[in-house]
């Protein structure tokens, strides 16, 4: 067992969160990283015990065109700021991993600048892939080279060069010595050389006990990367896609199929694959934006926290903020936020309260970290499974329908269960529990005991204003394969009253007017930028949470 087996991650893109300039002037350090110190307590409060933060090191723009691997980006501060930040995280029992951008460097990196100056005479000419002094590029360098993603701004390192490998391994040792980090997320791991990754793993095993290597991998057989010789984990993009489209399409078969395939990929063992689970990050749209029905925020996150894997929350998504990927900019995915704007969010924001409750149960249940996986119920709109470990069985039930549903679920010999989100207690009868799950909702059931009471954090999940009685469990609908996103019809989502999602206020009429004004302002801004479809309008009117609307307005800046 290692710390990452029980980790609940928080993910920060620091250049965005701190509001740093888009271009680096390479001037005196601006100590913006120190402004993130208060976020550490927030991370702790919502039940996270690990932080993935990056990119951090000197670069020219968005952070992934590295200039200096051993110097904090001057837009964020200096190395002392970073060391102090990690130290404070550790003092609050939060592990820290950095973003390791080792597939490519920026053009201002010392080795590439030496090639530009000395050309064929540079000792670093073999540090990059396919340097051709008979070619040229848009920078008029008088030579060409391999890049990442078609961007000559990102120059691909020759990872088979022993000098490059030794240099990067030395960078890892430097980060551990200078900043005392606990692991690294490898950028673009799906295009890294496998022998190079083996060298990184050997270094990881040497520098610190339980030093974690997690790689960014989009598609493929994850076991190619996750094994004893290379990485401990990779990003679970397969589950990411299934979680949002499975809800948008009312198709739990897609989610269940993905989960079973990944579980089998790991040998059908709870310790087979510990993938990094997420529903959004700095490269994809916010989950609150992607969901056709915003009430699905609850079942999506219940699944993300309880399915096999290591859960992660991207900064701001615990507040249900918006973030839409634009054709030429990711800025709206990486906004500057002021933590003071979300004061007491755990108490007043139902989305934040849900995330905090799930973080708490995740940290207090060994079964959710180490337990096996067993599917119990599957229809298009209802899904239940269990996680069992060391005599403890946790049962998870979710419902993506606009009506409540009753489920009869196998529960073994335990006498009584309690729902950690509702506090409801149910008795086991003939080896089953019969539970009622609200519309677009879910619950995590744990064996009831005096000790279990500490895990209970009742929260108000999204419910329709007019509640309907639970209906009998429907017969399974025909399984259907998910369509490509381009072929899907947008789902018609009924508007919800603001009281469903917004905290209670003293003057309800004033609050409704304030929400309405923000909605109208957002639509007006959107109309100035281009055509506004009916679906876009529905997305605006279905968002009735004040803080989320405020950040939506800010995202247009």
């Amino acid at each position: 067992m290692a710390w990452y087996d029980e980790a609940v991650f928080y993910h920060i893109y620091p250049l965005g969160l701190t509001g740093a300039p888009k271009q680096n002037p390479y001037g005196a350090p601006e100590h913006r990283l120190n402004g993130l110190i208060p976020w550490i307590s927030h991370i702790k409060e919502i039940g996270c015990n690990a932080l993935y933060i990056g990119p951090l090191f000197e670069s020219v723009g968005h952070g992934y065109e590295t200039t200096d691997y051993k110097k904090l980006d001057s837009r964020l501060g200096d190395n002392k700021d970073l060391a102090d930040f990690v130290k404070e995280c550790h003092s609050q029992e939060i592990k820290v991993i950095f973003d390791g951008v080792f597939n490519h460097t920026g053009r201002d990196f010392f080795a590439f600048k030496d090639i530009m100056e000395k050309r064929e005479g540079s000792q670093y000419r073999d540090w990059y892939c396919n340097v051709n002094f008979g070619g040229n590029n848009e920078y008029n360098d008088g030579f060409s080279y391999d890049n990442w993603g078609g961007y000559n701004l990102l120059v691909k390192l020759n990872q088979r060069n022993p000098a490059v490998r030794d240099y990067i391994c030395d960078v890892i040792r430097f980060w551990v010595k200078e900043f005392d980090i606990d692991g690294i997320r490898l950028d673009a791991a799906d295009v890294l050389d496998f022998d190079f990754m083996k060298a990184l793993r050997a270094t990881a095993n040497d520098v610190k006990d339980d030093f974690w290597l997690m790689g960014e991998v989009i598609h493929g057989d994850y076991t190619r990367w996750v094994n004893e010789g290379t990485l401990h984990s990779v990003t679970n993009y397969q589950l990411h896609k299934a979680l949002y489209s499975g809800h948008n399409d009312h198709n739990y078969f897609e989610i269940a199929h993905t989960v079973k395939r990944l579980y089998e990929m790991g040998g059908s063992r709870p310790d087979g694959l510990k993938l990094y689970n997420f529903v959004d990050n700095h490269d994809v749209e916010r989950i609150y934006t992607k969901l056709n029905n915003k009430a699905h925020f609850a079942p999506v996150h219940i699944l993300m926290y309880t399915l096999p894997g290591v859960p992660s929350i991207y900064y701001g998504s615990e507040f249900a903020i918006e973030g839409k990927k634009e054709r030429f900019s990711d800025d709206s995915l990486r906004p500057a936020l002021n933590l003071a704007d979300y004061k007491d969010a755990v108490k007043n924001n139902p989305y934040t309260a849900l995330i905090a409750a799930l973080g708490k149960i995740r940290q207090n249940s060994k079964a959710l970290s180490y337990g096996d996986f067993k599917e119990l119920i599957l229809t298009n709109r209802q899904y239940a499974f269990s996680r069992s470990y060391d005599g403890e069985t946790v049962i998870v039930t979710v419902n993506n329908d606009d009506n409540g549903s009753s489920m009869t679920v196998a529960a073994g010999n335990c006498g009584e269960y309690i729902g950690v989100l509702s506090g409801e207690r149910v008795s086991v009868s003939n080896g089953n529990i019969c539970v009622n799950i609200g519309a677009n909702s879910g619950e995590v059931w744990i064996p009831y005991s005096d000790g279990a009471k500490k895990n209970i954090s009742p929260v108000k999940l999204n419910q329709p204003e007019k509640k309907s009685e639970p209906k009998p469990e429907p017969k399974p609908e025909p399984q259907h394969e998910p369509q490509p996103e381009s072929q899907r019809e947008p789902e018609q989502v009924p508007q919800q009253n603001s009281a469903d999602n917004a905290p209670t206020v003293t003057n309800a009429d004033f609050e409704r007017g304030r929400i309405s004004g923000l909605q109208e302002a957002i639509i007006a801004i959107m109309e100035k930028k281009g055509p506004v479809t009916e679906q876009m309008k529905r997305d605006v009117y279905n968002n009735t949470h004040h803080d989320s609307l405020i950040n939506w307005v800010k995202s247009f800046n």
Side-chain angles (χ1 to χ4, degrees):
M1 296 181 182
W3 66 265
Y4 44 79
D5 291 323
E6 300 181 26
V8 179
F9 269 92
Y10 196 79
H11 172 197
I12 287 177
Y13 177 82
L15 292 171
L17 180 53
T18 61
K22 297 296 185 292
Q23 295 297 311
N24 191 346
Y26 296 134
E30 297 286 343
H31 302 279
R32 292 183 175 88
L33 187 68
N34 294 338
L36 299 187
I37 294 293
W39 285 82
I40 301 173
S41 297
H42 167 72
I43 293 168
K44 181 85 170 179
E45 183 182 20
I46 64 171
C48 296
N49 56 12
L51 171 65
Y52 152 39
I53 183 169
L56 285 160
F57 294 94
E58 193 81 290
S59 67
V60 65
H62 50 56
Y64 290 97
E65 39 338 36
T66 310
T67 299
D68 189 337
Y69 286 106
K70 298 184 179 181
K71 180 179 181 295
L72 179 67
D73 195 299
S74 54
R75 291 169 291 177
L76 297 174
D78 55 30
N79 282 11
K80 183 179 184 304
D81 295 334
L82 184 53
D84 290 344
F85 180 83
V86 175
K87 184 177 181 180
E88 180 59 27
C89 287
H90 286 165
S91 74
Q92 298 195 42
E93 300 180 317
I94 295 173
K95 300 289 187 179
V96 181
I97 70 170
F98 286 177
D99 217 337
V101 188
F102 301 146
N103 177 67
H104 47 264
T105 73
R107 290 168 49 80
D108 288 343
F109 188 67
F110 76 90
F112 189 80
K113 291 178 71 173
D114 193 82
I115 297 173
M116 286 194 292
E117 177 185 350
K118 300 176 183 176
R119 294 179 58 81
E120 291 89 345
S122 172
Q123 62 177 313
Y124 301 107
R125 57 178 294 178
D126 294 326
W127 273 46
Y128 295 96
C129 292
N130 294 322
V131 175
N132 176 13
F133 293 103
N136 206 351
N137 57 23
E138 70 271 28
Y139 296 102
N140 199 29
D141 288 327
F143 61 92
S144 60
Y145 46 84
D146 286 355
N147 60 42
W148 181 87
Y151 298 101
N152 277 322
L153 181 66
L154 307 175
V155 195
K156 185 169 178 60
L157 284 166
N158 178 10
Q159 297 148 28
R160 301 199 69 83
N161 183 333
V164 171
R165 182 186 62 231
D166 292 346
Y167 177 83
I168 295 299
C169 289
D170 180 65
V171 166
I172 294 176
R173 295 186 186 95
F174 175 83
W175 287 357
V176 174
K177 180 180 179 181
E178 187 83 358
F179 308 113
D180 193 27
I181 62 169
D182 305 290
I184 294 173
R185 176 262 193 189
L186 295 173
D187 182 63
D190 46 7
V191 294
L192 291 178
D193 178 78
F194 279 89
D195 287 337
F196 178 70
M197 283 187 284
K198 289 177 182 178
L200 301 185
R201 178 63 177 267
T203 302
N205 293 341
D206 181 60
V207 292
K208 196 174 190 180
D209 290 341
D210 296 333
F211 193 84
W212 195 51
L213 289 183
M214 183 267 289
E216 180 192 25
V217 173
I218 310 300
H219 301 294
D221 181 353
Y222 289 150
T223 60
R224 294 182 62 209
W225 293 272
V226 182
N227 54 64
E228 289 301 316
T230 49
L231 309 181
H232 298 90
S233 182
V234 294
T235 51
N236 195 353
Y237 268 91
Q238 294 181 36
L239 182 63
H240 155 258
K241 188 269 178 188
L243 283 174
Y244 74 81
S245 65
H247 282 85
N248 285 347
D249 293 343
H250 288 293
N251 182 16
Y252 275 151
F253 283 100
E254 179 187 1
I255 296 175
H257 176 70
T258 301
V259 171
K260 285 191 287 188
R261 184 176 69 248
L262 294 172
Y263 195 58
E264 291 169 357
M265 192 183 294
S268 297
R269 306 188 322 271
D271 60 342
L273 282 178
K274 290 290 183 75
L275 301 175
Y276 183 85
N277 294 343
F278 62 97
V279 292
D280 50 19
N281 61 29
H282 64 300
D283 288 326
V284 300
E285 291 184 346
R286 296 277 178 173
I287 185 63
Y288 197 75
T289 297
K290 285 197 290 258
L291 291 174
N292 293 339
N293 185 343
K294 307 308 180 187
H296 284 159
F297 184 96
V300 162
H301 282 87
I302 290 171
L303 289 175
M304 196 264 286
Y305 268 83
T306 58
L307 286 168
V310 179
S312 174
I313 289 292
Y314 182 47
Y315 82 93
S317 286
E318 71 273 27
F319 309 127
I321 69 171
E322 297 279 353
K324 186 172 180 62
K325 194 173 181 69
E326 305 295 342
R327 184 177 180 184
F328 299 111
S329 173
D330 287 334
D331 288 351
S332 68
L333 309 179
R334 309 167 179 183
L337 301 180
N338 185 345
L339 187 59
D341 293 339
Y342 303 95
K343 184 180 180 181
D344 298 325
V346 172
K347 297 178 181 178
N348 299 328
N349 184 327
Y351 304 101
T352 317
L354 171 65
I355 297 304
L358 291 172
K360 181 178 180 181
I361 180 57
R362 178 75 190 211
Q363 289 195 32
N364 286 312
S365 173
K366 297 290 185 183
L368 292 179
S369 293
Y370 302 104
D372 63 7
F373 171 83
K374 184 178 181 181
E375 183 181 291
L376 302 176
I377 291 175
L378 177 61
T379 72
N380 273 358
R381 296 174 185 248
Q382 287 80 39
Y383 184 32
F385 58 88
S386 65
R387 306 286 310 280
S388 298
Y389 175 77
D390 196 22
E392 176 194 13
T393 294
V394 173
I395 296 171
V396 179
T397 52
V398 288
N399 174 29
N400 67 43
D401 195 82
D402 288 335
N403 296 288
S405 177
S406 64
M407 299 185 193
T408 300
V409 187
N413 298 320
C414 179
E416 191 174 17
Y417 278 81
I418 186 167
V420 297
L421 302 179
S422 65
E424 178 185 357
R425 291 164 61 177
V426 293
S427 298
V428 177
S429 176
N430 297 321
N432 299 315
I433 55 174
C434 184
V435 299
N436 295 324
I437 304 301
N440 303 310
S441 186
E443 183 58 281
V444 182
W445 305 93
I446 64 174
Y448 179 77
S449 66
D450 289 339
K453 294 178 181 179
K454 67 181 181 180
N455 295 332
I456 309 305
S457 300
V459 295
K460 179 184 177 182
L461 302 183
N462 293 318
Q463 299 289 341
E465 183 179 7
K466 185 177 181 180
K467 296 180 175 61
S468 57
E469 293 297 322
K471 62 181 181 179
E473 183 179 328
K475 295 181 180 180
E477 300 177 30
Q479 181 175 356
H480 59 274
E481 293 297 323
Q483 291 180 304
E485 292 183 47
S486 61
Q487 297 178 15
R488 293 186 192 138
E489 291 295 328
E491 183 174 343
Q492 300 298 314
V493 183
Q495 294 185 18
Q496 298 179 0
N497 188 282
S498 62
D500 294 330
N501 296 325
T504 302
V505 294
T506 304
N507 190 332
D509 290 333
F510 172 78
E511 182 65 9
R512 281 194 292 271
R514 185 166 65 155
I515 295 297
S516 177
L518 286 169
Q519 292 169 336
E520 295 299 329
I522 289 170
I523 290 176
I525 296 172
M526 292 168 69
E527 288 175 340
K528 291 181 180 179
K529 293 180 175 290
V532 178
T533 66
E534 290 302 313
Q535 180 63 48
M536 293 166 68
K537 290 181 180 179
R538 281 194 296 272
D539 288 344
V540 174
Y541 286 125
N542 284 333
N543 184 346
T544 56
H545 188 68
H546 175 266
D547 289 348
S548 177
L549 291 169
I550 287 291
N551 279 288
W552 198 339
V553 172
K554 291 180 179 179
S555 73
F556 291 115
N557 295 333

